[in-house]
Amino acid sequence: MNATAKTPSQLAEDARQTANDAVETTRAYAQNAVNAAGEKVRDLRGSVEPAVEQLANRVQQAVQRGLESASKTSARAQRQLDQAADVTGRYIADQPVRSVLLAAAAGAAITALIVLASRRRDD
């Protein structure tokens, strides 16, 4: 087997980390946008009609709901990845020989696909 191949648990952890990074990046971007909008609203407060301030409040509320939704989605994805990693780990522990055979078969299939793809590119 390839020494650099990742286990299902490592793949699940990588996916979980990628999802967490995406949520954190989105959260930071949204928070910066909210902060910038809040600063502009404060700067223009003296000359802005009350309706515009209400609109800014609605936008901030919508962004906050979006952030909460992103956090909930991240938590749900993390739970599902944890469950998948647990199931995979139990399967491997219960049936180690079958797991190795399945991994070898999957590796062979992926290698065959890569060889076929590289041959098609060369043609």
Side-chain angles (χ1 to χ4, degrees):
M1 279 186 73
N2 187 351
T4 60
K6 292 188 176 187
T7 66
S9 295
Q10 290 171 324
L11 292 172
E13 181 60 31
D14 289 351
R16 179 183 16 226
Q17 187 59 46
T18 301
N20 285 338
D21 291 347
V23 167
E24 288 303 317
T25 301
T26 302
R27 181 178 289 136
Y29 181 81
Q31 190 61 49
N32 288 340
V34 168
N35 291 343
E39 287 176 22
K40 291 211 183 263
V41 168
R42 284 189 293 278
D43 291 344
L44 299 173
R45 183 170 280 157
S47 62
V48 176
E49 296 179 31
V52 174
E53 189 171 331
Q54 288 175 354
L55 179 61
N57 287 335
R58 287 182 191 158
V59 168
Q60 286 179 332
Q61 290 171 354
V63 168
Q64 188 62 36
R65 283 192 305 269
L67 288 172
E68 290 169 3
S69 176
S71 292
K72 288 177 184 177
T73 300
S74 172
R76 189 177 323 120
Q78 190 166 0
R79 280 192 308 272
Q80 289 173 344
L81 286 170
D82 287 342
Q83 289 173 350
D86 290 343
V87 168
T88 301
R90 281 195 306 271
Y91 181 83
I92 291 170
D94 291 343
Q95 299 187 23
V97 174
R98 190 172 189 186
S99 298
V100 169
L101 292 174
L102 286 171
I110 291 170
T111 301
L113 290 172
I114 291 171
V115 168
L116 285 175
S118 66
R119 284 185 183 166
R120 287 184 184 161
R121 227 179 301 155
D122 291 341
D123 290 341

